[in-house]
Amino acid sequence: MTIADRAVLVTGANRGLGRALVDEALRRGAQRVFAGTRQPLAHSDGRVTPLTLDVTDAAQIHAAVERVGSLDVLINNAGVDLQGEVSDRVLLDRHLAVNLFGTYSVTQAFVPLLTRSRGAIVNVLSVAAVAALPFTPTYSISKAAALNLTQALRALLAARGVRVHAVLAGPIDTEMTRYLDI
């Protein structure tokens, strides 16, 4: 699928990889880029439509669907990486809430629009989904679960004409990974 003349939604679009994905969609000629962020966002390109979108907030997800109206590509990029021990249940719950259930909730909400356009879903995951990182185990667990969600969605949505992809990103120099000594 080409991005030119398409409508794209990027979650977690305020910084780092999300911001880069918005800019790349614009560079590739996207007609409209919806930039989902928890905080207000300003962008100089008129093709960018900021959306208040916390992926853990059902009301914000519903409002985003209403505002978008038509969508060709959903890029589930929003995520958290909070350091801590695997024994910290609160930390595990937070990782799962954003990295797994946030991806699930946004995807489910936008599937009708993507089915209509015979579009695509791109879930930005991590190499930690297949090789757990000992210094951030709850992040690794959440990304492994999101990888399995992606594989299940790929099989389930194929019959509806929706393609589902996983991006297993390695360390990228962003605010989220600056604590790593890489």
PDB file of all heavy atoms in Angstrom, residues 1-10 18-35 43 45-49 70-75:
ATOM      1  N   MET A   1       0.838  -1.178   0.000  1.00  0.00           N
ATOM      2  CA  MET A   1       0.000   0.000   0.000  1.00  0.00           C
ATOM      3  C   MET A   1       0.881   1.239   0.000  1.00  0.00           C
ATOM      4  O   MET A   1       1.860   1.313   0.739  1.00  0.00           O
ATOM      5  CB  MET A   1      -0.898  -0.003   1.239  1.00  0.00           C
ATOM      6  CG  MET A   1      -1.556   1.335   1.500  1.00  0.00           C
ATOM      7  SD  MET A   1      -2.616   1.378   2.938  1.00  0.00           S
ATOM      8  CE  MET A   1      -4.099   0.740   2.223  1.00  0.00           C
ATOM      9  N   THR A   2       0.518   2.184  -0.791  1.00  0.00           N
ATOM     10  CA  THR A   2       1.215   3.458  -0.769  1.00  0.00           C
ATOM     11  C   THR A   2       0.494   4.393   0.190  1.00  0.00           C
ATOM     12  O   THR A   2      -0.698   4.246   0.460  1.00  0.00           O
ATOM     13  CB  THR A   2       1.264   4.101  -2.164  1.00  0.00           C
ATOM     14  OG1 THR A   2      -0.072   4.360  -2.576  1.00  0.00           O
ATOM     15  CG2 THR A   2       1.964   3.200  -3.164  1.00  0.00           C
ATOM     16  N   ILE A   3       1.208   5.361   0.678  1.00  0.00           N
ATOM     17  CA  ILE A   3       0.661   6.341   1.612  1.00  0.00           C
ATOM     18  C   ILE A   3       0.071   7.540   0.868  1.00  0.00           C
ATOM     19  O   ILE A   3      -0.811   8.221   1.373  1.00  0.00           O
ATOM     20  CB  ILE A   3       1.767   6.801   2.602  1.00  0.00           C
ATOM     21  CG1 ILE A   3       2.280   5.614   3.417  1.00  0.00           C
ATOM     22  CG2 ILE A   3       1.295   7.913   3.510  1.00  0.00           C
ATOM     23  CD1 ILE A   3       1.263   4.970   4.318  1.00  0.00           C
ATOM     24  N   ALA A   4       0.553   7.788  -0.334  1.00  0.00           N
ATOM     25  CA  ALA A   4       0.101   8.950  -1.105  1.00  0.00           C
ATOM     26  C   ALA A   4      -1.415   8.963  -1.221  1.00  0.00           C
ATOM     27  O   ALA A   4      -2.041   7.938  -1.516  1.00  0.00           O
ATOM     28  CB  ALA A   4       0.742   8.939  -2.483  1.00  0.00           C
ATOM     29  N   ASP A   5      -1.983  10.122  -0.947  1.00  0.00           N
ATOM     30  CA  ASP A   5      -3.424  10.370  -1.065  1.00  0.00           C
ATOM     31  C   ASP A   5      -4.260   9.538  -0.107  1.00  0.00           C
ATOM     32  O   ASP A   5      -5.452   9.336  -0.340  1.00  0.00           O
ATOM     33  CB  ASP A   5      -3.893  10.142  -2.509  1.00  0.00           C
ATOM     34  CG  ASP A   5      -3.175  11.051  -3.482  1.00  0.00           C
ATOM     35  OD1 ASP A   5      -2.971  12.243  -3.143  1.00  0.00           O
ATOM     36  OD2 ASP A   5      -2.794  10.573  -4.572  1.00  0.00           O
ATOM     37  N   ARG A   6      -3.675   9.064   0.970  1.00  0.00           N
ATOM     38  CA  ARG A   6      -4.389   8.253   1.974  1.00  0.00           C
ATOM     39  C   ARG A   6      -4.564   9.029   3.268  1.00  0.00           C
ATOM     40  O   ARG A   6      -3.856   9.996   3.541  1.00  0.00           O
ATOM     41  CB  ARG A   6      -3.608   6.971   2.288  1.00  0.00           C
ATOM     42  CG  ARG A   6      -3.224   6.142   1.117  1.00  0.00           C
ATOM     43  CD  ARG A   6      -4.366   5.358   0.585  1.00  0.00           C
ATOM     44  NE  ARG A   6      -3.875   4.541  -0.519  1.00  0.00           N
ATOM     45  CZ  ARG A   6      -4.596   3.640  -1.105  1.00  0.00           C
ATOM     46  NH1 ARG A   6      -5.814   3.416  -0.727  1.00  0.00           N
ATOM     47  NH2 ARG A   6      -4.105   2.957  -2.106  1.00  0.00           N
ATOM     48  N   ALA A   7      -5.471   8.554   4.075  1.00  0.00           N
ATOM     49  CA  ALA A   7      -5.665   9.081   5.429  1.00  0.00           C
ATOM     50  C   ALA A   7      -4.990   8.137   6.407  1.00  0.00           C
ATOM     51  O   ALA A   7      -5.230   6.928   6.394  1.00  0.00           O
ATOM     52  CB  ALA A   7      -7.152   9.197   5.755  1.00  0.00           C
ATOM     53  N   VAL A   8      -4.128   8.704   7.248  1.00  0.00           N
ATOM     54  CA  VAL A   8      -3.302   7.930   8.179  1.00  0.00           C
ATOM     55  C   VAL A   8      -3.539   8.457   9.583  1.00  0.00           C
ATOM     56  O   VAL A   8      -3.605   9.669   9.786  1.00  0.00           O
ATOM     57  CB  VAL A   8      -1.802   8.075   7.819  1.00  0.00           C
ATOM     58  CG1 VAL A   8      -0.922   7.327   8.805  1.00  0.00           C
ATOM     59  CG2 VAL A   8      -1.531   7.625   6.391  1.00  0.00           C
ATOM     60  N   LEU A   9      -3.642   7.547  10.550  1.00  0.00           N
ATOM     61  CA  LEU A   9      -3.699   7.920  11.965  1.00  0.00           C
ATOM     62  C   LEU A   9      -2.488   7.332  12.657  1.00  0.00           C
ATOM     63  O   LEU A   9      -2.222   6.132  12.548  1.00  0.00           O
ATOM     64  CB  LEU A   9      -4.972   7.395  12.624  1.00  0.00           C
ATOM     65  CG  LEU A   9      -5.033   7.432  14.158  1.00  0.00           C
ATOM     66  CD1 LEU A   9      -4.884   8.844  14.704  1.00  0.00           C
ATOM     67  CD2 LEU A   9      -6.325   6.806  14.655  1.00  0.00           C
ATOM     68  N   VAL A  10      -1.753   8.188  13.379  1.00  0.00           N
ATOM     69  CA  VAL A  10      -0.607   7.754  14.168  1.00  0.00           C
ATOM     70  C   VAL A  10      -0.914   8.051  15.630  1.00  0.00           C
ATOM     71  O   VAL A  10      -1.159   9.204  15.985  1.00  0.00           O
ATOM     72  CB  VAL A  10       0.690   8.502  13.760  1.00  0.00           C
ATOM     73  CG1 VAL A  10       1.861   8.053  14.631  1.00  0.00           C
ATOM     74  CG2 VAL A  10       0.992   8.307  12.282  1.00  0.00           C
ATOM     75  N   GLY A  18       6.789   8.497  16.995  1.00  0.00           N
ATOM     76  CA  GLY A  18       5.475   8.929  16.535  1.00  0.00           C
ATOM     77  C   GLY A  18       5.536  10.185  15.695  1.00  0.00           C
ATOM     78  O   GLY A  18       4.919  10.280  14.632  1.00  0.00           O
ATOM     79  N   ARG A  19       6.304  11.161  16.161  1.00  0.00           N
ATOM     80  CA  ARG A  19       6.486  12.415  15.409  1.00  0.00           C
ATOM     81  C   ARG A  19       7.157  12.123  14.070  1.00  0.00           C
ATOM     82  O   ARG A  19       6.780  12.675  13.037  1.00  0.00           O
ATOM     83  CB  ARG A  19       7.316  13.388  16.239  1.00  0.00           C
ATOM     84  CG  ARG A  19       7.631  14.669  15.528  1.00  0.00           C
ATOM     85  CD  ARG A  19       6.456  15.572  15.434  1.00  0.00           C
ATOM     86  NE  ARG A  19       6.696  16.738  16.263  1.00  0.00           N
ATOM     87  CZ  ARG A  19       5.832  17.705  16.389  1.00  0.00           C
ATOM     88  NH1 ARG A  19       4.697  17.664  15.753  1.00  0.00           N
ATOM     89  NH2 ARG A  19       6.084  18.727  17.146  1.00  0.00           N
ATOM     90  N   ALA A  20       8.158  11.234  14.081  1.00  0.00           N
ATOM     91  CA  ALA A  20       8.847  10.865  12.843  1.00  0.00           C
ATOM     92  C   ALA A  20       7.897  10.157  11.870  1.00  0.00           C
ATOM     93  O   ALA A  20       7.976  10.374  10.651  1.00  0.00           O
ATOM     94  CB  ALA A  20      10.050   9.977  13.151  1.00  0.00           C
ATOM     95  N   LEU A  21       6.990   9.342  12.384  1.00  0.00           N
ATOM     96  CA  LEU A  21       6.018   8.657  11.523  1.00  0.00           C
ATOM     97  C   LEU A  21       5.052   9.650  10.883  1.00  0.00           C
ATOM     98  O   LEU A  21       4.685   9.515   9.709  1.00  0.00           O
ATOM     99  CB  LEU A  21       5.258   7.599  12.319  1.00  0.00           C
ATOM    100  CG  LEU A  21       6.084   6.367  12.712  1.00  0.00           C
ATOM    101  CD1 LEU A  21       5.353   5.540  13.768  1.00  0.00           C
ATOM    102  CD2 LEU A  21       6.414   5.523  11.483  1.00  0.00           C
ATOM    103  N   VAL A  22       4.619  10.647  11.645  1.00  0.00           N
ATOM    104  CA  VAL A  22       3.767  11.703  11.078  1.00  0.00           C
ATOM    105  C   VAL A  22       4.506  12.401   9.943  1.00  0.00           C
ATOM    106  O   VAL A  22       3.970  12.579   8.837  1.00  0.00           O
ATOM    107  CB  VAL A  22       3.344  12.716  12.174  1.00  0.00           C
ATOM    108  CG1 VAL A  22       2.724  13.966  11.549  1.00  0.00           C
ATOM    109  CG2 VAL A  22       2.380  12.069  13.153  1.00  0.00           C
ATOM    110  N   ASP A  23       5.735  12.802  10.201  1.00  0.00           N
ATOM    111  CA  ASP A  23       6.521  13.513   9.190  1.00  0.00           C
ATOM    112  C   ASP A  23       6.776  12.654   7.955  1.00  0.00           C
ATOM    113  O   ASP A  23       6.734  13.143   6.823  1.00  0.00           O
ATOM    114  CB  ASP A  23       7.842  13.998   9.791  1.00  0.00           C
ATOM    115  CG  ASP A  23       7.642  15.099  10.833  1.00  0.00           C
ATOM    116  OD1 ASP A  23       6.555  15.725  10.855  1.00  0.00           O
ATOM    117  OD2 ASP A  23       8.573  15.321  11.633  1.00  0.00           O
ATOM    118  N   GLU A  24       7.013  11.366   8.154  1.00  0.00           N
ATOM    119  CA  GLU A  24       7.251  10.472   7.016  1.00  0.00           C
ATOM    120  C   GLU A  24       5.976  10.274   6.192  1.00  0.00           C
ATOM    121  O   GLU A  24       6.030  10.229   4.957  1.00  0.00           O
ATOM    122  CB  GLU A  24       7.796   9.122   7.494  1.00  0.00           C
ATOM    123  CG  GLU A  24       8.173   8.176   6.371  1.00  0.00           C
ATOM    124  CD  GLU A  24       9.310   8.672   5.476  1.00  0.00           C
ATOM    125  OE1 GLU A  24      10.064   9.591   5.869  1.00  0.00           O
ATOM    126  OE2 GLU A  24       9.445   8.128   4.349  1.00  0.00           O
ATOM    127  N   ALA A  25       4.835  10.162   6.850  1.00  0.00           N
ATOM    128  CA  ALA A  25       3.574  10.048   6.113  1.00  0.00           C
ATOM    129  C   ALA A  25       3.345  11.293   5.255  1.00  0.00           C
ATOM    130  O   ALA A  25       2.914  11.191   4.096  1.00  0.00           O
ATOM    131  CB  ALA A  25       2.419   9.830   7.081  1.00  0.00           C
ATOM    132  N   LEU A  26       3.655  12.453   5.812  1.00  0.00           N
ATOM    133  CA  LEU A  26       3.529  13.694   5.048  1.00  0.00           C
ATOM    134  C   LEU A  26       4.497  13.697   3.860  1.00  0.00           C
ATOM    135  O   LEU A  26       4.129  14.059   2.740  1.00  0.00           O
ATOM    136  CB  LEU A  26       3.808  14.898   5.946  1.00  0.00           C
ATOM    137  CG  LEU A  26       2.794  15.146   7.060  1.00  0.00           C
ATOM    138  CD1 LEU A  26       3.311  16.203   8.017  1.00  0.00           C
ATOM    139  CD2 LEU A  26       1.430  15.533   6.486  1.00  0.00           C
ATOM    140  N   ARG A  27       5.737  13.285   4.108  1.00  0.00           N
ATOM    141  CA  ARG A  27       6.739  13.239   3.047  1.00  0.00           C
ATOM    142  C   ARG A  27       6.308  12.321   1.912  1.00  0.00           C
ATOM    143  O   ARG A  27       6.581  12.578   0.739  1.00  0.00           O
ATOM    144  CB  ARG A  27       8.085  12.775   3.615  1.00  0.00           C
ATOM    145  CG  ARG A  27       9.251  12.960   2.636  1.00  0.00           C
ATOM    146  CD  ARG A  27      10.552  12.407   3.182  1.00  0.00           C
ATOM    147  NE  ARG A  27      10.610  10.951   3.206  1.00  0.00           N
ATOM    148  CZ  ARG A  27      10.674  10.156   2.130  1.00  0.00           C
ATOM    149  NH1 ARG A  27      10.667  10.676   0.929  1.00  0.00           N
ATOM    150  NH2 ARG A  27      10.736   8.854   2.248  1.00  0.00           N
ATOM    151  N   ARG A  28       5.602  11.256   2.271  1.00  0.00           N
ATOM    152  CA  ARG A  28       5.153  10.291   1.260  1.00  0.00           C
ATOM    153  C   ARG A  28       3.821  10.673   0.621  1.00  0.00           C
ATOM    154  O   ARG A  28       3.250   9.893  -0.128  1.00  0.00           O
ATOM    155  CB  ARG A  28       5.060   8.902   1.878  1.00  0.00           C
ATOM    156  CG  ARG A  28       6.428   8.342   2.214  1.00  0.00           C
ATOM    157  CD  ARG A  28       6.338   6.972   2.834  1.00  0.00           C
ATOM    158  NE  ARG A  28       7.642   6.493   3.182  1.00  0.00           N
ATOM    159  CZ  ARG A  28       8.106   5.305   2.808  1.00  0.00           C
ATOM    160  NH1 ARG A  28       7.375   4.489   2.097  1.00  0.00           N
ATOM    161  NH2 ARG A  28       9.314   4.942   3.186  1.00  0.00           N
ATOM    162  N   GLY A  29       3.329  11.855   0.934  1.00  0.00           N
ATOM    163  CA  GLY A  29       2.158  12.368   0.233  1.00  0.00           C
ATOM    164  C   GLY A  29       0.810  12.028   0.830  1.00  0.00           C
ATOM    165  O   GLY A  29      -0.202  12.050   0.114  1.00  0.00           O
ATOM    166  N   ALA A  30       0.764  11.719   2.107  1.00  0.00           N
ATOM    167  CA  ALA A  30      -0.539  11.447   2.732  1.00  0.00           C
ATOM    168  C   ALA A  30      -1.463  12.646   2.546  1.00  0.00           C
ATOM    169  O   ALA A  30      -1.037  13.799   2.646  1.00  0.00           O
ATOM    170  CB  ALA A  30      -0.367  11.140   4.216  1.00  0.00           C
ATOM    171  N   GLN A  31      -2.702  12.346   2.276  1.00  0.00           N
ATOM    172  CA  GLN A  31      -3.695  13.412   2.112  1.00  0.00           C
ATOM    173  C   GLN A  31      -4.041  14.044   3.452  1.00  0.00           C
ATOM    174  O   GLN A  31      -4.200  15.252   3.567  1.00  0.00           O
ATOM    175  CB  GLN A  31      -4.955  12.839   1.464  1.00  0.00           C
ATOM    176  CG  GLN A  31      -6.062  13.843   1.281  1.00  0.00           C
ATOM    177  CD  GLN A  31      -7.291  13.198   0.686  1.00  0.00           C
ATOM    178  OE1 GLN A  31      -7.655  12.078   1.048  1.00  0.00           O
ATOM    179  NE2 GLN A  31      -7.929  13.894  -0.232  1.00  0.00           N
ATOM    180  N   ARG A  32      -4.151  13.198   4.478  1.00  0.00           N
ATOM    181  CA  ARG A  32      -4.496  13.654   5.828  1.00  0.00           C
ATOM    182  C   ARG A  32      -3.761  12.765   6.813  1.00  0.00           C
ATOM    183  O   ARG A  32      -3.724  11.545   6.640  1.00  0.00           O
ATOM    184  CB  ARG A  32      -6.002  13.541   6.043  1.00  0.00           C
ATOM    185  CG  ARG A  32      -6.503  13.774   7.432  1.00  0.00           C
ATOM    186  CD  ARG A  32      -6.557  15.210   7.911  1.00  0.00           C
ATOM    187  NE  ARG A  32      -7.043  16.163   6.958  1.00  0.00           N
ATOM    188  CZ  ARG A  32      -6.578  17.412   6.854  1.00  0.00           C
ATOM    189  NH1 ARG A  32      -5.617  17.833   7.627  1.00  0.00           N
ATOM    190  NH2 ARG A  32      -7.058  18.228   5.975  1.00  0.00           N
ATOM    191  N   VAL A  33      -3.163  13.381   7.835  1.00  0.00           N
ATOM    192  CA  VAL A  33      -2.522  12.623   8.908  1.00  0.00           C
ATOM    193  C   VAL A  33      -3.157  13.066  10.215  1.00  0.00           C
ATOM    194  O   VAL A  33      -3.094  14.239  10.581  1.00  0.00           O
ATOM    195  CB  VAL A  33      -0.989  12.849   8.959  1.00  0.00           C
ATOM    196  CG1 VAL A  33      -0.383  12.069  10.122  1.00  0.00           C
ATOM    197  CG2 VAL A  33      -0.337  12.442   7.642  1.00  0.00           C
ATOM    198  N   PHE A  34      -3.789  12.125  10.874  1.00  0.00           N
ATOM    199  CA  PHE A  34      -4.365  12.369  12.187  1.00  0.00           C
ATOM    200  C   PHE A  34      -3.288  12.027  13.213  1.00  0.00           C
ATOM    201  O   PHE A  34      -2.781  10.912  13.223  1.00  0.00           O
ATOM    202  CB  PHE A  34      -5.617  11.524  12.395  1.00  0.00           C
ATOM    203  CG  PHE A  34      -6.710  11.863  11.426  1.00  0.00           C
ATOM    204  CD1 PHE A  34      -6.866  11.142  10.253  1.00  0.00           C
ATOM    205  CD2 PHE A  34      -7.575  12.914  11.690  1.00  0.00           C
ATOM    206  CE1 PHE A  34      -7.870  11.457   9.347  1.00  0.00           C
ATOM    207  CE2 PHE A  34      -8.575  13.241  10.786  1.00  0.00           C
ATOM    208  CZ  PHE A  34      -8.727  12.514   9.616  1.00  0.00           C
ATOM    209  N   ALA A  35      -2.950  12.998  14.041  1.00  0.00           N
ATOM    210  CA  ALA A  35      -1.879  12.830  15.021  1.00  0.00           C
ATOM    211  C   ALA A  35      -2.501  12.688  16.401  1.00  0.00           C
ATOM    212  O   ALA A  35      -2.941  13.677  16.994  1.00  0.00           O
ATOM    213  CB  ALA A  35      -0.920  14.021  14.968  1.00  0.00           C
ATOM    214  N   HIS A  43       1.059  21.537  14.697  1.00  0.00           N
ATOM    215  CA  HIS A  43       1.898  21.114  13.581  1.00  0.00           C
ATOM    216  C   HIS A  43       1.729  22.127  12.466  1.00  0.00           C
ATOM    217  O   HIS A  43       0.617  22.581  12.198  1.00  0.00           O
ATOM    218  CB  HIS A  43       1.510  19.711  13.109  1.00  0.00           C
ATOM    219  CG  HIS A  43       2.576  19.050  12.312  1.00  0.00           C
ATOM    220  ND1 HIS A  43       2.873  19.394  11.015  1.00  0.00           N
ATOM    221  CD2 HIS A  43       3.431  18.052  12.634  1.00  0.00           C
ATOM    222  CE1 HIS A  43       3.856  18.640  10.567  1.00  0.00           C
ATOM    223  NE2 HIS A  43       4.216  17.809  11.533  1.00  0.00           N
ATOM    224  N   ASP A  45       2.040  21.766   9.213  1.00  0.00           N
ATOM    225  CA  ASP A  45       1.462  21.280   7.956  1.00  0.00           C
ATOM    226  C   ASP A  45      -0.056  21.179   8.091  1.00  0.00           C
ATOM    227  O   ASP A  45      -0.569  20.526   9.000  1.00  0.00           O
ATOM    228  CB  ASP A  45       2.059  19.912   7.609  1.00  0.00           C
ATOM    229  CG  ASP A  45       1.754  19.488   6.182  1.00  0.00           C
ATOM    230  OD1 ASP A  45       0.559  19.450   5.802  1.00  0.00           O
ATOM    231  OD2 ASP A  45       2.707  19.187   5.444  1.00  0.00           O
ATOM    232  N   GLY A  46      -0.758  21.800   7.187  1.00  0.00           N
ATOM    233  CA  GLY A  46      -2.219  21.810   7.222  1.00  0.00           C
ATOM    234  C   GLY A  46      -2.865  20.456   7.020  1.00  0.00           C
ATOM    235  O   GLY A  46      -4.053  20.282   7.301  1.00  0.00           O
ATOM    236  N   ARG A  47      -2.104  19.477   6.550  1.00  0.00           N
ATOM    237  CA  ARG A  47      -2.658  18.124   6.383  1.00  0.00           C
ATOM    238  C   ARG A  47      -2.727  17.363   7.693  1.00  0.00           C
ATOM    239  O   ARG A  47      -3.323  16.293   7.756  1.00  0.00           O
ATOM    240  CB  ARG A  47      -1.821  17.335   5.375  1.00  0.00           C
ATOM    241  CG  ARG A  47      -1.863  17.897   3.966  1.00  0.00           C
ATOM    242  CD  ARG A  47      -0.907  17.161   3.056  1.00  0.00           C
ATOM    243  NE  ARG A  47       0.472  17.458   3.450  1.00  0.00           N
ATOM    244  CZ  ARG A  47       1.530  16.770   3.049  1.00  0.00           C
ATOM    245  NH1 ARG A  47       1.396  15.726   2.261  1.00  0.00           N
ATOM    246  NH2 ARG A  47       2.746  17.115   3.453  1.00  0.00           N
ATOM    247  N   VAL A  48      -2.120  17.918   8.746  1.00  0.00           N
ATOM    248  CA  VAL A  48      -2.119  17.249  10.051  1.00  0.00           C
ATOM    249  C   VAL A  48      -3.307  17.728  10.866  1.00  0.00           C
ATOM    250  O   VAL A  48      -3.513  18.927  11.053  1.00  0.00           O
ATOM    251  CB  VAL A  48      -0.810  17.518  10.817  1.00  0.00           C
ATOM    252  CG1 VAL A  48      -0.874  16.924  12.224  1.00  0.00           C
ATOM    253  CG2 VAL A  48       0.377  16.942  10.048  1.00  0.00           C
ATOM    254  N   THR A  49      -4.077  16.756  11.352  1.00  0.00           N
ATOM    255  CA  THR A  49      -5.193  17.034  12.243  1.00  0.00           C
ATOM    256  C   THR A  49      -4.861  16.449  13.607  1.00  0.00           C
ATOM    257  O   THR A  49      -4.827  15.222  13.763  1.00  0.00           O
ATOM    258  CB  THR A  49      -6.503  16.403  11.723  1.00  0.00           C
ATOM    259  OG1 THR A  49      -6.792  16.934  10.436  1.00  0.00           O
ATOM    260  CG2 THR A  49      -7.655  16.655  12.675  1.00  0.00           C
ATOM    261  N   SER A  70     -12.996   8.726   8.007  1.00  0.00           N
ATOM    262  CA  SER A  70     -12.492   7.837   6.961  1.00  0.00           C
ATOM    263  C   SER A  70     -11.002   7.597   7.237  1.00  0.00           C
ATOM    264  O   SER A  70     -10.272   8.545   7.531  1.00  0.00           O
ATOM    265  CB  SER A  70     -12.686   8.488   5.590  1.00  0.00           C
ATOM    266  OG  SER A  70     -12.110   7.691   4.583  1.00  0.00           O
ATOM    267  N   LEU A  71     -10.567   6.333   7.110  1.00  0.00           N
ATOM    268  CA  LEU A  71      -9.189   6.000   7.446  1.00  0.00           C
ATOM    269  C   LEU A  71      -8.675   4.870   6.569  1.00  0.00           C
ATOM    270  O   LEU A  71      -9.382   3.895   6.323  1.00  0.00           O
ATOM    271  CB  LEU A  71      -9.098   5.586   8.923  1.00  0.00           C
ATOM    272  CG  LEU A  71      -7.693   5.367   9.491  1.00  0.00           C
ATOM    273  CD1 LEU A  71      -6.909   6.670   9.490  1.00  0.00           C
ATOM    274  CD2 LEU A  71      -7.789   4.816  10.910  1.00  0.00           C
ATOM    275  N   ASP A  72      -7.425   5.026   6.113  1.00  0.00           N
ATOM    276  CA  ASP A  72      -6.775   3.990   5.305  1.00  0.00           C
ATOM    277  C   ASP A  72      -5.700   3.229   6.064  1.00  0.00           C
ATOM    278  O   ASP A  72      -5.511   2.038   5.848  1.00  0.00           O
ATOM    279  CB  ASP A  72      -6.133   4.627   4.062  1.00  0.00           C
ATOM    280  CG  ASP A  72      -7.161   5.292   3.177  1.00  0.00           C
ATOM    281  OD1 ASP A  72      -8.029   4.585   2.644  1.00  0.00           O
ATOM    282  OD2 ASP A  72      -7.099   6.532   3.035  1.00  0.00           O
ATOM    283  N   VAL A  73      -4.960   3.932   6.939  1.00  0.00           N
ATOM    284  CA  VAL A  73      -3.850   3.303   7.656  1.00  0.00           C
ATOM    285  C   VAL A  73      -3.895   3.737   9.116  1.00  0.00           C
ATOM    286  O   VAL A  73      -3.921   4.933   9.413  1.00  0.00           O
ATOM    287  CB  VAL A  73      -2.478   3.694   7.057  1.00  0.00           C
ATOM    288  CG1 VAL A  73      -1.347   3.020   7.821  1.00  0.00           C
ATOM    289  CG2 VAL A  73      -2.408   3.350   5.576  1.00  0.00           C
ATOM    290  N   LEU A  74      -3.902   2.758  10.010  1.00  0.00           N
ATOM    291  CA  LEU A  74      -3.812   3.000  11.447  1.00  0.00           C
ATOM    292  C   LEU A  74      -2.435   2.542  11.904  1.00  0.00           C
ATOM    293  O   LEU A  74      -2.070   1.376  11.721  1.00  0.00           O
ATOM    294  CB  LEU A  74      -4.885   2.215  12.200  1.00  0.00           C
ATOM    295  CG  LEU A  74      -4.735   2.139  13.720  1.00  0.00           C
ATOM    296  CD1 LEU A  74      -4.787   3.533  14.350  1.00  0.00           C
ATOM    297  CD2 LEU A  74      -5.793   1.213  14.310  1.00  0.00           C
ATOM    298  N   ILE A  75      -1.671   3.467  12.483  1.00  0.00           N
ATOM    299  CA  ILE A  75      -0.365   3.122  13.026  1.00  0.00           C
ATOM    300  C   ILE A  75      -0.458   3.224  14.542  1.00  0.00           C
ATOM    301  O   ILE A  75      -0.514   4.330  15.098  1.00  0.00           O
ATOM    302  CB  ILE A  75       0.755   4.039  12.480  1.00  0.00           C
ATOM    303  CG1 ILE A  75       0.802   3.958  10.956  1.00  0.00           C
ATOM    304  CG2 ILE A  75       2.099   3.641  13.103  1.00  0.00           C
ATOM    305  CD1 ILE A  75       1.805   4.900  10.306  1.00  0.00           C
TER     306      ILE A  75
END
